[in-house]
Amino acid sequence: MVTQVVSLARVELLQSLAAGEIQLAFQPQVDLATKAIVAFEGVARWHHPKLGQVSPGLFFSLAAKEGLMGVISRTLGAQAARAVHTWRNHGYKIDIAINVGITDVVDPTFGKDLYACVASEGARPEWMILEIDEEELVCAGTDGLACLEILAGYGFRVALDAKGPPSLALDKRARALFCQLKCGGTTMLAVASRLHSVGASAFMRRIQAAQAAGMPVVAVGAESGKAIRQCYHIGFTRLQGHFIAPPLSFQAASEMLLEQPASLNDSEESCGPDLELESEGKSVDLCPEIVDTRTLEVTLHHPLQLFSLEDVTEPEPSKSEAA
């Protein structure tokens, strides 16, 4: 019976992929200095017609066990490329990040297939950031780094996603490969804040090494004003978390972008034809009038003020939180 249930779940997962029920949601990544959105991370969501929202932990575990991670990664990679192409085509210098597993990284066909998916959507690989979990990469050893370098050779950018104590040194090879360092978790950030005063921990040394290499350091999981201030003082340069915004639909992410000015330039990437992107059954059109730069007036804009390090206040703790 268990075998039959797993088999049915596999078929349903494949059918949901084909039907477009597994979609990316987009969480903004904000520059701490300018408060501007510089990227979105695409996270998978399964909108099951009967069960509603299915936890990513459930269907990713099933996909990994049934050997379907490659199918999901390629499908979501195409969705990410379609979204970033639309944003870029309308003048927003936005990157998009997606998570890739080590099984995809070491797959010799993955880089070529993902490149083809991105090209078919009209996007460029350098607009996409592939996030790799540090623990998985350490388990793969030097072979994992070599495979990531192959992906970088296709033009993709690579981010190191660290969820715990440092396991991989940011040596010369790593600094040449990774475009950003991501560190997450409320507990981890709290510990980092305590260690910041001495500045001698391995965690702090790695942040300093990333800064010296000109690599953005992204804090993931700073969910309060206090945590944001800690991140700022520790040396993080970017922020991602529910304090800014939870993962959003393409429609909501696009509306969030429209609240801040588009960074139009004269390059060919922002002068393409007007495009539409299907999202949640709706045709989304991002301000087609801004594509023609001849119709724009020269104006000065201020960056979108999502929060202020000085003015943010902490909510009063509940009795249970205080206890």
Side-chain angles (χ1 to χ4, degrees), residues 181-199:
L181 174 67
K182 296 188 72 174
C183 301
T186 304
T187 302
M188 184 176 178
L189 295 177
V191 172
S193 178
R194 296 189 185 102
L195 295 173
H196 172 58
S197 57
V198 296

Side-chain angles (χ1 to χ4, degrees), residues 137-200:
L137 183 58
V138 169
C139 290
T142 55
D143 290 341
L145 279 175
C147 292
L148 284 175
E149 287 168 340
I150 292 173
L151 289 172
Y154 279 100
F156 296 106
R157 295 153 67 201
V158 183
L160 183 63
D161 191 356
K163 296 184 176 67
S167 302
L168 185 72
L170 287 183
D171 57 12
K172 184 177 180 180
R173 184 180 184 183
R175 291 197 300 271
L177 174 62
F178 298 120
C179 70
Q180 66 178 221
L181 174 67
K182 296 188 72 174
C183 301
T186 304
T187 302
M188 184 176 178
L189 295 177
V191 172
S193 178
R194 296 189 185 102
L195 295 173
H196 172 58
S197 57
V198 296

